Amino acid sequence: SRRQRQMCIRDRFDIVTQDDRGYIFYEAKFRKDPVTESIVQNEIRQVEQTGLKCYKYGFFSRGGFICEKEENRILIELSELYR
């Protein structure tokens, strides 16, 4: 049901936004190690399992990133929030 899907989304993802194009799912990783391509791909798979139309994926990372920058990704290092 729609309610169950909403509860599942709240349990799995840190931030979800919606606009006229669809959803953006954000995940925060507060580890010292950088976010890798494997971590990004795992999170994207989880989003795809929701069945919701997602056109971008956002990631916040304390330890930086070791992954490809792509048009459908928003990569934000924690230090960028405190400029």
Side-chain angles (χ1 to χ4, degrees):
S1 77
R2 181 183 166 119
R3 177 108 174 111
Q4 288 173 324
R5 189 171 15 170
Q6 288 174 337
M7 293 301 290
C8 178
I9 290 167
R10 281 189 226 143
D11 289 343
R12 286 191 188 172
F13 306 104
D14 295 320
I15 301 169
V16 179
T17 62
Q18 181 183 22
D19 61 25
D20 58 335
R21 292 180 285 174
Y23 294 94
I24 301 176
F25 285 73
Y26 293 88
E27 184 70 20
K29 299 293 186 188
F30 293 101
R31 307 171 343 167
K32 290 182 182 180
D33 298 328
V35 170
T36 64
E37 185 67 26
S38 175
I39 292 170
V40 168
Q41 289 300 323
N42 184 52
E43 296 296 334
I44 289 173
R45 272 192 298 279
Q46 288 183 36
V47 170
E48 290 172 346
Q49 291 174 356
T50 68
L52 297 172
K53 181 182 175 192
C54 179
Y55 70 98
K56 285 201 184 230
Y57 305 90
F59 296 90
F60 296 92
S61 175
R62 174 183 172 198
F65 296 93
I66 303 176
C67 63
E68 297 295 320
K69 290 186 178 183
E70 295 184 12
E71 191 172 318
N72 70 338
R73 295 180 184 178
I74 301 167
L75 306 177
I76 303 168
E77 291 191 35
L78 190 59
S79 62
E80 292 179 53
L81 299 175
Y82 297 100
R83 288 186 181 175

